[in-house]
Amino acid sequence: MQPCPSICSRCLRHLTNKIAYQPQRLHQSYPKYSSTAAATTPAPPIEQTILSAPPLTRYPPTQPPSHRPPEFRKSQLHRQYTSLLRSTPVILLFQHNNLKATELMAVRRELATALQKLDDQSERSTFSPSKGIKLQIIQSRIFSAALRIVEYWNPTVSQPPTLNPQDPSTQSSMSGIPNATPLPVDPLVTHSLSRRARNAVISKKYTHPLSPLLSGPLAILTFPTVSPAHLKTALSILSPRAPGFPAPLRRSNPGYHDPVTQAGLQKLLLLGARIEGRVFDTEGVRWVGGIEGGLEGMRGQLVGMLQGFGAGLTGALEGASRNLYLTMEGRKSMLEGEAKGEDDGEVKEGGGG
C-alpha cells in the first residue's frame, strides 16, 4: 500500500512550522537569559569614542570636480587657452573672413619658411623661436572666458582654512574637508574650471581691453619668446606695410605671391596684440617689431638712455658749480682791482703833499 501524497505534504508543512517557531518560543520561555546575552556585548574602544572617523573620499585628487564637464570639447579648449595665455608672452590677434583650409595651409607654409630663413641668418645654436611660433584658429567666446580667468582669477588669495577630519569638533559632513564633497562647490577646488573661478570672473565680462575685439572669427599667432626680429618677419608676411614691413619680393619668395596664398592673406586683418600682459594696438605692435637689433638693441637703447641721463645730470651739476666758481673768481678779481686802485691813489696823494 502506497502512502498518500497529500498526507505527506501536510506533514511536511507541520514540521516546517514547528521548527520555525522554536526560536520564538525559546525567547519567550527564557527572557532573562536572552537579556543577559545582549548585555555581554563588548563596548567600543576608547579611541573610537574620542576621534571621529575620517570622511570618505568622494573623488580622486587627480580629478577634482568641475563646474564645466571636463569630458566636453569646450572644457578642453578652455584649459588649452588658459595654459596658452599663461605661458605665451606674445599673442597677435587676427580676424579671418571665410578662410579656407588650403589658404590657411599656404599662409602657414610661407610664414614657417620666412621664420626659418631668419633663424638661419641669425645663427642661433641653442634655441630657435621659429619652431614655437604657431598660427591657429580659436573659438572667440571660449578664449574670452579663458582670458578673464587668467587676468582676474588668483586662486592663492583668500584660501579657506583647512579642517582636520580627526578633530572631534569637526563634523564629517562639512563641505570644507578636502575630498569630502562630490559637488564642485568645494572651497579647496581652485582650478580654472571650478565654480569658484567662474563666480570670481563672471562680473568681469566686458572689462578687459581686448573684450571688444574677441568676437567673430578669430585667429592668433603665438610666440614663445619676445623677439622683435621674428615679430617683424611675421608682420611682413601676414600684414605687410612699407617701408618698415615690406612684403617679400617675387624673385626671392615666389610662393608668397601664389594666388592661394594671396587670397588667404587678404582675409587676415591684424586687430591687436597681448605682449607681456599688456594690450597693444596695431601701431604698438609695429613699434615693438620695429626695434632695431631685437632684445639686444632694446637693452642697448636702455643703457644708452641711462648713460645719457647720467651724463646730462653730471654736466648740469658741474655746470652749476663751474658758473659759481667763475662768478666768485670774477668778483674776487674785481675787489682786488678796486683795492689796488685805492692804494695807488693814496700813494699819489702822499707824494704830492
Side-chain angles (χ1 to χ4, degrees), residues 333-346:
S333 301
M334 185 185 299
L335 293 177
E336 289 178 352
E338 292 178 357
K340 186 177 181 180
E342 292 178 357
D343 293 340
D344 293 342
E346 292 177 356

Side-chain angles (χ1 to χ4, degrees), residues 2-339:
Q2 296 181 356
C4 179
S6 61
I7 297 176
C8 293
S9 61
R10 189 184 309 166
C11 295
L12 289 175
R13 286 197 301 270
H14 179 70
L15 291 175
T16 303
N17 296 335
K18 186 175 181 180
I19 295 173
Y21 287 124
Q22 282 182 358
Q24 185 177 2
R25 292 176 181 177
L26 178 63
H27 179 71
Q28 294 177 358
S29 302
Y30 305 98
K32 57 182 180 178
Y33 292 104
S34 61
S35 61
T36 305
T40 57
T41 303
I46 188 65
E47 291 81 4
Q48 185 177 354
T49 60
I50 295 177
L51 301 177
S52 60
L56 297 177
T57 301
R58 300 293 194 264
Y59 55 86
T62 57
Q63 295 180 352
S66 172
H67 175 69
R68 294 180 175 87
E71 64 273 9
F72 290 172
R73 182 175 180 270
K74 291 184 178 180
S75 302
Q76 298 302 323
L77 286 177
H78 188 280
R79 296 179 61 184
Q80 178 184 350
Y81 294 158
T82 303
S83 176
L84 187 67
L85 288 167
R86 287 173 176 168
S87 60
T88 306
V90 180
I91 298 178
L92 300 186
L93 189 64
F94 292 88
Q95 179 182 356
H96 69 91
N97 300 314
N98 300 324
L99 188 64
K100 299 180 181 179
T102 55
E103 298 170 349
L104 180 60
M105 291 175 58
V107 172
R108 286 174 174 172
R109 182 190 66 241
E110 297 304 322
L111 179 62
T113 302
L115 293 174
Q116 186 61 39
K117 185 182 299 184
L118 176 64
D119 286 344
D120 296 340
Q121 295 176 357
S122 61
E123 298 180 356
R124 291 177 177 266
S125 58
T126 57
F127 177 68
S128 178
S130 62
K131 296 181 180 179
I133 299 176
K134 296 181 180 179
L135 178 66
Q136 56 181 330
I137 307 298
I138 62 171
Q139 299 289 335
S140 57
R141 296 186 62 182
I142 303 177
F143 189 83
S144 177
L147 181 63
R148 293 196 301 270
I149 293 291
V150 173
E151 293 290 343
Y152 303 113
W153 167 238
N154 187 6
T156 60
V157 178
S158 66
Q159 282 284 357
T162 303
L163 302 178
N164 185 11
Q166 300 294 336
D167 190 358
S169 61
T170 302
Q171 300 179 6
S172 61
S173 61
M174 294 186 66
S175 61
I177 302 177
N179 299 346
T181 55
L183 299 177
V185 295
D186 191 345
L188 296 181
V189 178
T190 58
H191 56 86
S192 59
L193 292 177
S194 62
R195 183 168 296 180
R196 290 189 64 201
R198 182 252 183 189
N199 295 335
V201 302
I202 193 172
S203 61
K204 308 286 187 179
K205 192 170 184 179
Y206 300 104
T207 58
H208 197 271
L210 281 179
S211 298
L213 303 178
L214 297 178
S215 61
L218 297 178
I220 58 173
L221 180 66
T222 57
F223 294 77
T225 57
V226 181
S227 177
H230 289 80
L231 180 58
K232 181 178 181 179
T233 303
L235 290 177
S236 300
I237 297 295
L238 300 178
S239 181
R241 191 178 70 178
F245 304 88
L249 299 178
R250 184 183 297 272
R251 181 178 300 178
S252 60
N253 193 354
Y256 179 81
H257 297 274
D258 187 76
V260 179
T261 305
Q262 289 298 317
L265 292 175
Q266 292 176 3
K267 297 178 181 179
L268 290 177
L269 176 64
L270 178 63
L271 300 178
R274 180 179 182 266
I275 303 176
E276 293 290 347
R278 299 182 58 184
V279 178
F280 289 82
D281 57 358
T282 57
E283 297 299 327
V285 175
R286 298 184 187 278
W287 174 79
V288 176
I291 298 176
E292 296 295 336
L295 290 179
E296 291 77 8
M298 187 183 300
R299 295 190 185 99
Q301 292 180 7
L302 180 60
V303 171
M305 186 184 302
L306 294 177
Q307 290 179 352
F309 177 77
L313 180 60
T314 304
L317 295 177
E318 290 180 353
S321 60
R322 187 183 300 109
N323 292 334
L324 179 60
Y325 173 76
L326 294 177
T327 302
M328 297 300 294
E329 288 294 327
R331 183 61 178 170
K332 180 181 178 181
S333 301
M334 185 185 299
L335 293 177
E336 289 178 352
E338 292 178 357

